[in-house]
């Protein structure tokens, strides 16, 4: 999770730059997770191969699109986005995506999955310039969890068509396939009205933070030096304009697997700490779990999201 907003504000004032200083220390292998199988120190050769693959992918990638704030939202303590599935219809109730740890009711416990819980939470809808043009309201939390992923999806009281007609703003579309290493991305924060641009550096088998563990997390290159308040920001593929992940955390102090200091755990149980590096949770599993009329169906074929 990102640092509390008060701490983030202090960091911004101290730096005088409007953002925390951008830096990324060399990853530190800190042994094995006590609860995992014993493994070996991360292979230098593997890191070189991963980096080379990412560079080759970037070299052959389509030109980047301009990414703006249209369709993003601001929350009281986080960021988010108005999203639709690839097959959503204009008369479907609109959805907002943010983090599970951004719920107004507090962090879901490990193993907890929230489904169809009433909510009247409000969201500030932004236009391309980052100007708030409307207040949207939830009817319920359709889905939320911090188990395996860190995401929350709110269902709104208005449809996509109603929002588009009233404000001329379309929802961002969730990509239904996994992004690739080297993909150029933008992390768009509705809270700070700031866009961070970098690339997918790679993927993390298990990302552990405090009591929570997330699977197949996205690791950014160091240019995406996100801060508190960016939690829930959509991660947009700049080539397609589609959302591929939701921003959620970063290692702030070099701590090992603690709150605000997530650590990477590989298949062998080896723990790696990357101070100053930030992460997101992939969103490609969500389209398979939302069916006709945008209704959540955790029993649908291909739906792999954690269930209650």
């Amino acid at each position: 999770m990102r640092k509390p907003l008060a701490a983030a504000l202090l960091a911004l004032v101290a730096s005088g730059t409007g953002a925390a200083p951008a830096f990324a220390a060399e990853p530190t292998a800190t042994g094995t997770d006590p609860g995992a199988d014993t493994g070996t120190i991360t292979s230098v050769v593997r890191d070189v191969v991963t980096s080379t693959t990412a560079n080759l992918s970037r070299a052959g990638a389509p030109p980047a699109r301009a990414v703006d704030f249209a369709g993003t939202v601001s929350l009281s303590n986080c960021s988010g986005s108005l999203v639709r599935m690839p097959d959503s219809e204009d008369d479907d109730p609109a959805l907002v995506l943010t983090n599970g740890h951004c719920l107004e009711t507090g962090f879901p416990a490990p193993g907890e999955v929230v489904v169809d819980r009433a909510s009247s939470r409000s969201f500030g809808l932004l236009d391309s310039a980052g100007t708030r043009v409307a207040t949207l309201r939830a009817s319920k939390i359709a889905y939320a969890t911090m188990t395996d992923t860190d995401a929350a999806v709110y269902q709104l009281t208005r449809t996509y068509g109603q929002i588009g007609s009233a404000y001329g703003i379309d929802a961002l579309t969730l990509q239904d396939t996994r992004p690739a290493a080297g993909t150029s991305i933008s992390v768009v924060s509705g809270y700070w009205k700031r866009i961070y641009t970098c690339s997918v550096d790679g993927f993390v088998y298990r990302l552990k933070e405090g009591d929570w563990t997330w699977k197949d997390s996205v690791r950014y290159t160091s240019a995406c030096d996100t801060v508190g308040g960016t939690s829930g920001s959509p991660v947009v593929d700049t080539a397609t304009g589609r959302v591929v992940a939701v921003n959620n955390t970063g290692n702030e102090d070099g701590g090992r697997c603690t709150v605000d200091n997530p650590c990477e755990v590989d298949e062998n149980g080896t723990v790696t700490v990357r101070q100053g590096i930030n992460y997101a949770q992939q969103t490609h599993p969500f389209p398979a779990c939302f069916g006709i009329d945008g209704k959540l169906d955790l029993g649908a074929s291909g739906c792999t999201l954690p269930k209650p």
Side-chain angles (χ1 to χ4, degrees):
M1 287 74 76
R2 299 306 329 177
K3 71 179 74 173
L5 289 176
L9 287 169
L10 289 175
L12 301 184
V13 172
S15 68
T17 62
F23 70 96
E26 287 297 314
T28 304
T30 56
T32 56
D33 177 38
D37 294 334
T38 302
T40 57
I41 300 299
T42 304
S43 168
V44 174
V45 174
R46 184 178 65 190
D47 286 347
V48 170
V49 170
T50 299
S51 177
T52 301
T53 301
N55 288 336
L56 289 173
S57 176
R58 282 191 289 271
R65 297 184 179 189
V67 174
D68 57 34
F69 295 100
T72 61
V73 302
S74 59
L75 286 68
S76 57
N77 59 344
C78 286
S79 300
S81 55
L82 181 69
V83 296
R84 65 190 301 151
M85 306 304 158
D87 57 356
S88 292
E89 303 287 345
D90 282 350
D91 60 355
D92 291 343
L95 303 172
V96 161
L97 172 70
T98 186
N99 285 146
H101 79 257
C102 292
L103 289 182
E104 67 269 37
T105 52
F107 295 179
E112 181 182 2
V113 176
V114 176
V115 173
D116 291 336
R117 178 186 292 173
S119 172
S120 58
R121 192 170 194 181
S122 61
F123 310 92
L125 178 65
L126 307 184
D127 65 10
S128 60
T131 302
R132 181 171 178 151
V133 296
T135 297
L136 305 177
R137 194 164 297 280
S139 61
K140 67 179 179 180
I141 301 168
Y143 182 88
T145 191
M146 288 178 66
T147 298
D148 294 352
T149 187
D150 182 7
V153 178
Y154 287 83
Q155 181 175 302
L156 304 184
T157 58
R158 299 196 219 180
T159 67
Y160 296 112
Q162 289 170 336
I163 294 170
S165 295
Y167 310 109
I169 294 175
D170 294 326
L172 302 175
T173 301
L174 294 187
Q175 182 169 296
D176 57 6
T177 57
R178 191 174 187 270
T183 297
S184 176
I185 54 175
S186 290
V187 182
V188 189
S189 172
Y191 185 91
W192 288 115
K193 315 298 188 294
R194 177 175 175 182
I195 299 174
Y196 303 79
T197 300
C198 61
S199 298
V200 174
D201 185 54
F203 302 92
V204 183
Y205 177 70
R206 297 289 184 269
L207 189 66
K208 297 189 67 175
E209 181 172 346
D211 295 330
W212 295 273
T213 299
W214 304 306
K215 297 180 178 179
D216 201 22
S217 304
V218 173
R219 180 177 62 240
Y220 306 144
T221 52
S222 59
C224 284
D225 53 336
T226 52
V227 298
T230 64
S231 289
S233 298
V235 180
V236 180
D237 182 331
T238 59
T240 66
R242 294 198 167 196
V243 176
V244 296
V246 56
N247 178 70
N248 81 309
T249 194
N251 187 292
E252 298 178 359
D253 306 316
R256 183 177 183 268
C257 314
T258 60
V259 172
D260 295 329
N261 291 289
C263 63
E264 301 182 13
V265 184
D266 70 12
E267 295 90 334
N268 298 314
T270 301
V271 175
T272 301
V273 171
R274 301 177 189 263
Q275 184 177 0
I277 294 299
N278 299 294
Y279 303 88
Q281 302 308 308
Q282 296 190 56
T283 51
H284 69 84
F286 281 86
C289 303
F290 283 81
I292 297 174
D293 297 328
K295 292 182 179 178
L296 178 70
D297 182 3
L298 294 176
S301 175
C303 179
T304 58
L305 291 176
K307 300 171 177 58

